Each structure stands twice: as C-alpha cells, then as structure tokens.
C-alpha cells in the first residue's frame, strides 16, 4: 500500500513536469515567467484530481527543477528539457523542506522519517545524519529525495555541512591503466581486481529468466498487450541487474576512495570510450571481422564503467587535496616503459609484456607497463589541458600585450 501511494506521487510529479513543458511551448516568450508558471501549476492541481496526491512543496520543487533545467541549457551545461516518458524516466519525488522530515533513529541500522502524505516510513540507516543534538546551523538536513529502481524505493537525504578546504596532498604520484582483465593497474605495481558482480546461482537464474522472457515474448500474438507474467519476469531480470550494478558501484567507491587517500597526483588516460565500444559489424559491402569477439569485448568494457571510475577519482582527489590529470592514450600499452621504444610483438597477450628490443628485454605485466607509461607521459609535461582551460588559453593568446607609454 505504501509503495502504491509513492508510485502515485511519482507519476503525479512526472505529469506535472510534462504539463509544465507543454505550457512552456504554448506560452509566448515574454510570458514564460516563474510567477505565471506557479499560477499554472496551482490551477492544474485544482482541475486535475490525481495531481492532488503530490504535496504542494513537491510540486514547487518540480517547478524549480524545470526552470533550472532551462538555465542549464542556456548556459551550455545540458540539453534542452523534454517530455518525460512513463517507462523511460526515473520515478522520483522531491521533499524540499528538511523540517518536515522529523527523522528519528530507532535502531543501529534503522531509522524512521516522516514523508508528506505518506506518514512515518522506516529506512535503512547507512550513514551518520545531523539529527537531534548533532544538528545546527552549519550541519543540518535540508531535504530528501525518493527514488525508485528495480529493487524498490530508496531515500537520499540532502545534508548541508560546513567543510574546510583540504590541505594539499603530500602523497606520491601514480599512473593508472584501466583494463578488462585487470580493472585497475597502478604504476607502483598495485592491482585492483574484483569478483563477478553476480554469483554462479544468480547468473544461472538470470539466464533462466532471460530464456523464459524470450519464450513468452515469441508466444505473444502481434499487437497483444504484454502479459502480467511477462512483466513479472522482466521485473525479476531488472532486479538482478540492479543488484549487480549496486555491487559494482560499491566496489568503485571503495577503490577510488582508497586511491584518493593514498596518492596526491593521479594520472589516467584520456580515453574516448564511445569509439572503443563501436560495433565491428561493418556494412553489406564491407562486412566486419571477428564481430562476436568484438561484441564480447564491448560488453566487458561497458561493464567496467571506466568513465564512472574516472569521474569518482576526479572529485575524490579534490576532496583529499590531490589532483587528477589526463594524458594521451595512444601507444601506452605498446611502448616499453623501460627503454621507451615501440617494438612489434612486445605485447604478447593481455597480461604479458616482453620488450623485443635486443638492448632491453624488460618484461612485466602488460597493465603495469601501461600504467608506468601513463605516469611517464605526465612527468614529461604531456598532460592534457581540460576544455575550460583550453578556452582560457586561447583567449589569453588572442589578447595583445599592452604597450608602455
């Protein structure tokens, strides 16, 4: 019953967003103001009955989020907002007022929170929250957000804390190579690996569910609605995949936090992952080769989520006073990190590198060799300038020096 009521609020919030977007497209430009939009959603809540299940503060949060989306678009940070589909958008409800939550800790692992129009709801207590005596003007809860995924509804609290600027990290420099066989290899020889995200029984269950879903889908007649049993199978598949994603996120958070705490300067490759996972199928005139092997490699690369790992390393390095730099990626896995030469045949496999230069002969793990090359490129001064830095550099070059009078 509680989940059904939360679903109704989320659908009402999505409908409110779509009504705002339709209103925005119909109104003249000079009348697209926050005041007029507020009057429009107030009238909509009176005219459409099911919108009343959404609390008034949550409706105001939808309005502010919509206008912020347009602001982000105008400033070039995001695309223009669009309609939200029923099955393509994430179901969520915003609770903008922290004083309405009334959070109480009832157990070491559980707490109770007050959700408007839902009542008292129990949640899992995973992090310390500034409640009771620990809450003050600098450390307090300013709001929350209910989000639904394949595993159910979850609550995320917005916490305002007074942080201090971290001291510069005095740790060593390190180069990192990302891969499929070894997810993270460091230039000092450290390797970070993980097990499969799903156990053997869970993988077998996922295979059975996918086969069952495929069988029921082929048995369905054309233009026939999806049956309840097929939807239940899809929900079970989504639950297992969500569980795997949650385990992957947990591993990435713990690993990147450990690296950010240990090293002051982190260097990674500037990879274009979208190009790396392109299909090798080719065209009818020029069919591709090793299509199945390339598809398996693409799935492995997507499963490791290298871009998300770099994103986590970026902000966690800043939190600990460190820095993250990117260097060009070409030939980092083919070049010998001992002599600096690229000799054909040195990369013998995904795990072994043996330099074929007669004067060298250095051998090591292939990922360790690539990580050493990544760090060496940074020490040579070949770190790439971020996009914002390049724009500033271009403007600086265009400015002529002032002449003395």
């Amino acid at each position: 019953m509680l989940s059904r009521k939360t679903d109704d609020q989320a659908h009402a919030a999505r409908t409110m967003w779509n009504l705002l977007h339709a209103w925005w497209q119909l109104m003249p430009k000079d009348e697209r103001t926050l005041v007029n939009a507020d009057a429009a959603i107030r009238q909509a809540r009176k005219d459409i009955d099911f919108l009343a299940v959404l609390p008034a503060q949550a409706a105001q949060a939808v309005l502010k989020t919509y206008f912020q989306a347009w602001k982000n678009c105008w400033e070039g940070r995001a695309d223009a907002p669009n309609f939200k589909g029923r099955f393509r958008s994430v179901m969520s409800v915003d609770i903008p007022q922290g004083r309405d939550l009334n959070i109480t800790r009832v157990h070491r692992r559980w707490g109770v929170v007050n959700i408007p129009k839902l009542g008292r709801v129990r949640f899992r207590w995973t992090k310390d929250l500034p409640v009771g005596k620990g809450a003050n003007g600098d450390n307090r809860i300013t709001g929350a957000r209910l989000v639904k995924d394949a595993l159910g509804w979850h609550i995320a609290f917005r916490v305002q804390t007074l942080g201090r600027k971290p001291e510069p990290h005095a740790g060593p420099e390190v180069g990192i190579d990302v891969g499929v066989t070894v997810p993270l290899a460091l230039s000092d020889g450290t390797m970070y690996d993980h097990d499969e995200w799903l156990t053997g029984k869970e993988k077998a269950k996922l295979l059975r569910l996918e086969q069952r879903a495929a069988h029921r889908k082929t048995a369905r007649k054309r233009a026939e609605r999806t049956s309840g049993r097929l939807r239940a199978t899809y929900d079970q598949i989504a639950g297992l995949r969500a569980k795997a994603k949650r385990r992957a996120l947990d591993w990435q958070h713990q690993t990147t936090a450990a690296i950010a705490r240990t090293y002051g300067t982190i260097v990674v490759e500037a990879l274009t992952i979208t190009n790396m996972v392109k299909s090798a199928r080719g065209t009818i005139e020029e069919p591709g080769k090793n299509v199945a092997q390339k598809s398996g490699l693409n799935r492995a690369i997507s499963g490791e989520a290298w871009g998300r790992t770099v994103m986590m390393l970026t902000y966690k390095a800043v939190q600990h006073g460190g820095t993250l730099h990117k260097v060009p990626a070409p030939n980092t896995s083919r070049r010998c990190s001992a002599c600096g030469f690229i000799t054909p045949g040195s990369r013998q496999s995904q795990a072994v590198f043996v330099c074929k230069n007669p004067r060298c002969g250095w051998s090591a793990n292939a990922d360790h060799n690539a990580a050493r090359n990544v760090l060496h490129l940074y020490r040579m001064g070949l770190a790439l300038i971020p996009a914002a830095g390049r724009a500033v550099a271009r403007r600086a070059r265009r400015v002529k020096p002032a002449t003395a009078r």
Side-chain angles (χ1 to χ4, degrees):
M1 186 65 179
L2 182 62
S3 178
R4 179 63 181 272
K5 290 183 178 180
T6 315
D7 290 348
D8 293 342
Q9 287 195 11
H11 287 308
R14 179 184 55 84
T15 305
M16 184 70 70
W17 174 283
N18 291 338
L19 290 174
L20 272 172
H21 191 60
W23 173 87
W24 181 276
Q25 293 178 327
L26 292 173
M27 295 297 289
K29 289 185 178 180
D30 56 343
E31 297 185 17
R32 296 172 180 173
T33 62
L34 192 62
V35 176
N36 292 340
D38 179 60
I41 65 171
R42 290 177 185 273
Q43 187 63 37
R45 285 171 57 83
K46 295 178 181 178
D47 297 340
I48 305 175
D49 294 337
F50 76 90
L51 291 181
V53 301
L54 187 68
Q57 294 294 338
Q60 292 294 322
V62 174
L63 173 62
K64 293 179 181 178
T65 304
Y66 183 78
F67 271 74
Q68 183 62 40
W70 274 114
K71 185 178 179 181
N72 294 339
C73 173
W74 295 330
E75 296 178 357
R77 295 193 298 267
D79 295 332
N82 206 339
F83 289 102
K84 289 188 176 183
R86 180 181 177 89
F87 299 107
R88 298 191 306 272
S89 58
V90 178
M91 296 182 66
S92 62
V93 180
D94 200 26
I95 308 170
Q97 298 293 341
R99 62 174 179 268
D100 298 335
L101 297 174
N102 193 17
I103 301 172
T104 306
R105 188 166 189 171
V106 297
H107 188 264
R108 183 171 62 88
R109 294 185 177 181
W110 294 97
V112 178
V113 60
N114 183 60
I115 305 297
K117 294 197 174 185
L118 293 180
R120 301 293 284 172
V121 179
R122 190 177 68 163
F123 67 95
R124 183 70 177 266
W125 198 290
T126 56
K127 289 187 177 181
D128 291 334
L129 296 173
V131 296
K133 296 181 179 180
N136 51 50
D138 296 330
N139 299 285
R140 58 192 178 91
I141 297 176
T142 60
R145 187 176 182 85
L146 296 170
V147 183
K148 186 179 184 181
D149 62 7
L151 298 177
W153 281 98
H154 310 278
I155 187 167
F157 296 100
R158 289 190 296 271
V159 180
Q160 174 184 301
T161 59
L162 181 62
R164 60 180 182 83
K165 185 177 180 181
E167 297 292 333
H169 201 302
E173 301 172 341
V174 68
I176 299 179
D177 176 69
V178 293
V180 174
T181 340
V182 179
L184 291 178
L186 276 56
S187 56
D188 59 1
T190 307
M191 303 285 181
Y192 288 96
D193 200 355
H194 58 76
D195 298 328
E196 295 288 338
W197 303 130
L198 293 176
T199 63
K201 291 183 179 180
E202 290 171 338
K203 291 169 69 174
K205 181 180 179 181
L206 178 61
L207 179 60
R208 289 196 305 270
L209 290 172
E210 289 176 340
Q211 291 173 345
R212 186 184 305 169
H215 175 72
R216 288 176 176 172
K217 187 176 180 180
T218 54
R220 185 180 58 179
K221 296 180 181 179
R222 189 173 184 179
E224 184 182 2
R225 291 186 62 183
T226 305
S227 65
R229 290 186 299 174
L230 181 55
R231 288 190 181 276
T233 305
Y234 284 152
D235 290 342
Q236 288 180 292
I237 293 173
L240 283 172
R241 290 177 177 170
K243 185 180 293 185
K245 182 179 180 181
R246 183 175 294 184
R247 291 170 181 170
L249 279 170
D250 180 68
W251 181 85
Q252 285 181 310
H253 275 295
Q254 293 192 31
T255 304
T256 53
I259 293 174
R261 284 194 301 265
T262 307
Y263 302 96
T265 302
I266 303 171
V267 189
V268 298
E269 297 173 291
L271 298 173
T272 309
I273 302 174
T274 52
N275 294 339
M276 297 176 65
V277 296
K278 284 185 177 179
S279 174
R281 186 174 302 173
T283 60
I284 298 177
E285 295 79 10
E286 297 181 0
K289 298 180 180 180
N290 300 324
V291 179
Q293 292 87 336
K294 185 63 168 64
S295 298
L297 178 62
N298 291 347
R299 285 194 298 270
I301 293 174
S302 301
E304 291 299 333
W306 295 338
R308 191 167 60 204
T309 301
V310 173
M311 180 267 294
M312 291 181 181
L313 281 172
T314 303
Y315 75 81
K316 289 182 181 180
V318 173
Q319 289 177 351
H320 290 83
T323 55
L324 183 135
H325 304 273
K326 294 184 178 181
V327 296
N331 297 322
T332 53
S333 61
R334 299 175 60 236
R335 182 183 295 110
C336 176
S337 60
C339 65
F341 285 95
I342 300 176
T343 310
S346 297
R347 182 70 182 265
Q348 298 185 353
S349 67
Q350 288 290 335
V352 179
F353 183 93
V354 180
C355 184
K356 295 299 182 179
N357 184 2
R359 297 183 179 180
C360 181
W362 188 74
S363 62
N365 180 278
D367 299 305
H368 178 212
N369 175 74
R372 283 163 52 103
N373 284 325
V374 169
L375 180 60
H376 183 64
L377 290 175
Y378 167 75
R379 289 174 174 173
M380 290 177 61
L382 298 179
L384 299 177
I385 304 176
R390 289 197 296 269
V392 173
R394 286 195 297 268
R395 289 195 296 267
R397 286 195 296 268
R398 287 197 297 266
V399 175
K400 295 182 180 179
T403 56
R405 294 183 179 179

